[in-house]
């Protein structure tokens, strides 16, 4: 159930409603918007008499939520979520974010050159995998924590934030000092134990859509994180597997407006994994910004063809700089900045 409070509801009125909701057996999640407080009651609400809440002072309206995702649904935060980072950077606001970096952190030279390029292009986030989920156990698996330390150092030197994939619960603690945003990869979108644990972390989580996941399943996975109290979830469309073989995955651009309609969470587009082809990344990045993406995540590398992983879809640094210039024009055309 959703209880929307009146604009001028007092803290005492809000507390009284929360107490009444808890008494009726639901867990209460509170969100305080610019103008209004919304209380979501999650749990067995079938037998709860909603009219009882409508009569409490300070209450504007009460609704039963029929969608299976209670906290990720638009109704919980009608104005949309803006995820704010420690340095003030935001994803989900008026400005379109840029998250760029290699598929995998490989060495100092590579990650420092990449960080300087991301900064120069006006990007705010440096990405790079330290723990890589590779289809083959014989492929490069990533440098682990020493790699993450290198990326953190490169990011700090350039005033950037770091985004890196966490593959299992045991990695979270060691990654915390070096990671500003935990990426959950496509292969782990339904690793529910990992999602629950990230619900306890107080750092944003970038949750990628699974290779064969529906949008509803993506939103339900975000619900696992949010139900633990971590509301800073950023969704990511990275292409899904279909019968089409011309591209590595099928980039589902339509998922962007669908997510915007169903959920308040920001949505990022990853045209690198979405196409698997360097020559197609710019077109899909531009389409994604036009479609309303809150940030673009792209794989870039100073020596892209020689990248240890995902070389075929990785942009050279000059290609990335050119792309950001083009994205700026598209962003302005749809009423946003970059
Ligand atoms: C990645 O970002 O490098 C990655 C492994 O992505 P995905 O989980 O989308 O395949
Ligand atoms: Mn990759």
């Amino acid at each position: 159930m959703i209880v929307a409070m009146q604009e001028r509801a007092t803290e005492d009125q809000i507390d009284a409603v929360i107490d009444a909701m808890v008494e009726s057996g639901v867990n209460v999640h509170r969100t305080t918007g610019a103008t209004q407080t919304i209380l979501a009651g999650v749990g067995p609400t079938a037998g709860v008499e909603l009219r009882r809440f409508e009569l409490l002072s300070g209450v504007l309206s009460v609704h039963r939520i029929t969608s299976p995702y209670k906290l990720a649904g638009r109704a919980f935060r009608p104005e949309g979520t803006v995820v704010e980072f420690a340095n003030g950077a935001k994803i989900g606001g008026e400005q379109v974010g840029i998250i760029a970096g290699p598929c995998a952190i490989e060495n100092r030279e590579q990650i420092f050159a990449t960080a300087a390029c991301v900064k120069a292009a006006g990007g705010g986030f440096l990405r790079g995998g330290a723990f890589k989920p590779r289809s083959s156990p014989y492929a490069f698996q990533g440098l682990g924590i020493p790699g993450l330390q290198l990326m953190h150092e490169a990011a700090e030197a350039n005033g950037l934030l770091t985004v890196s994939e966490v593959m299992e619960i045991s990695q979270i603690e060691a990654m915390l000092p070096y990671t500003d945003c935990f990426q959950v990869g496509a292969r782990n979108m339904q690793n529910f134990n990992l999602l629950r644990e990230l619900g306890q972390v107080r750092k944003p989580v970038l949750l990628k859509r699974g290779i064969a996941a529906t949008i509803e399943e993506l939103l339900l996975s975000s619900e696992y994180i949010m139900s633990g109290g971590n509301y800073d979830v950023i969704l990511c469309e990275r292409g899904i597997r279909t019968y089409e073989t011309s591209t590595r995955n099928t980039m589902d651009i339509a998922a962007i407006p669908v997510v915007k309609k169903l959920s308040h969470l920001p949505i990022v587009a990853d045209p690198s994994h979405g196409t698997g082809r360097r020559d197609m990344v710019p077109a899909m990045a531009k389409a994604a910004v036009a479609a309303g993406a809150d940030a673009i995540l792209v794989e870039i590398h100073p020596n892209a063809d020689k990248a240890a992983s995902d070389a075929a879809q990785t942009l050279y640094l000059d290609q990335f700089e050119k792309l950001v210039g083009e994205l700026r024009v598209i962003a302005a055309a749809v009423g946003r900045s970059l």
Side-chain angles (χ1 to χ4, degrees):
M1 64 189 287
I2 289 276
V3 179
M5 300 299 296
Q6 291 167 355
E7 278 188 26
R8 279 191 291 275
T10 64
E11 277 305 309
D12 284 350
Q13 289 172 330
I14 294 168
D15 286 344
V17 175
I18 293 174
D19 288 347
M21 290 171 79
V22 170
E23 217 170 275
S24 68
V26 298
N27 282 322
V28 181
H29 293 260
R30 173 182 177 164
T31 179
T32 309
T35 54
Q36 191 185 28
T37 290
I38 297 208
L39 305 170
V42 181
T45 55
V48 176
E49 176 60 72
L50 298 194
R51 272 189 61 81
R52 187 160 83 75
F53 293 93
E54 278 166 6
L55 301 175
L56 296 177
S57 55
V59 171
L60 178 67
S61 59
V62 185
H63 319 268
R64 207 175 283 288
I65 320 173
T66 47
S67 80
Y69 35 89
K70 315 291 180 196
L71 302 175
R74 257 277 157 195
F76 184 52
R77 275 191 185 154
E79 75 277 18
T81 286
V82 180
V83 172
E84 192 165 345
F85 290 81
N87 70 351
K90 295 181 182 122
I91 290 189
E94 177 269 338
Q95 192 173 13
V96 178
I98 296 289
I99 305 167
C103 180
I105 306 153
E106 294 168 20
N107 55 60
R108 190 177 187 89
E109 205 185 341
Q110 171 230 30
I111 200 67
F112 271 78
T114 305
C117 169
V118 174
K119 181 66 184 177
F125 300 84
L126 181 63
R127 64 143 284 153
F131 300 102
K132 294 304 303 175
R134 306 305 303 281
S135 298
S136 164
Y138 310 118
F140 177 56
Q141 305 285 307
L143 296 180
I145 295 297
L148 204 50
Q149 287 169 332
L150 275 183
M151 180 162 77
H152 180 249
E153 212 185 298
E156 287 237 297
N158 289 280
L160 301 171
L161 295 157
T162 60
V163 180
S164 198
E165 176 164 355
V166 57
M167 282 174 61
E168 53 167 288
I169 292 173
S170 65
Q171 294 161 351
I172 295 176
E173 203 172 311
M175 288 178 71
L176 265 173
Y178 314 111
T179 311
D180 298 302
C181 178
F182 285 96
Q183 175 173 319
V184 175
R187 291 154 194 82
N188 266 316
M189 188 203 85
Q190 289 188 315
N191 181 342
F192 301 121
N193 291 334
L194 175 63
L195 300 179
R196 274 200 196 285
E197 201 61 31
L198 290 167
Q200 303 305 315
V201 169
R202 291 297 169 261
K203 280 199 176 171
V205 176
L206 187 138
L207 176 65
K208 286 190 152 196
R209 181 178 182 184
I211 287 168
T214 64
I215 294 170
E216 180 168 301
E217 287 165 339
L218 172 65
L219 294 176
L220 281 168
S221 287
S222 74
E223 192 84 12
Y224 269 92
I225 303 169
M226 296 182 76
S227 61
N230 185 357
Y231 301 139
D232 287 337
V233 180
I234 301 160
L235 304 172
C236 179
E237 165 59 39
R238 47 78 73 203
I240 47 174
R241 186 162 287 182
T242 68
Y243 50 78
E244 180 55 66
T245 54
S246 321
T247 47
R248 181 182 179 186
N249 291 291
T250 298
M251 183 74 191
D252 185 5
I253 297 286
I256 298 164
V258 172
V259 164
K260 286 270 162 219
K261 192 178 172 85
L262 299 177
S263 177
H264 54 84
L265 295 173
I267 171 108
V268 168
D270 168 1
S272 303
H273 295 85
T275 61
R277 295 181 46 152
R278 184 180 303 141
D279 59 337
M280 293 181 181
V281 168
M284 286 298 99
K286 287 182 266 187
V289 171
D294 294 301
I296 297 296
L297 181 155
V298 273
E299 288 186 338
I300 64 172
H301 191 296
N303 197 356
D305 256 334
K306 296 280 170 350
S309 58
D310 285 348
Q313 68 194 32
T314 297
L315 296 182
Y316 283 92
L317 303 186
D318 59 338
Q319 293 176 316
F320 167 69
E321 280 167 34
K322 178 168 179 275
L323 172 60
V324 175
E326 293 171 356
L327 293 180
R328 215 158 257 141
V329 177
I330 307 270
V334 294
R336 301 183 78 166
S337 63
L338 190 152

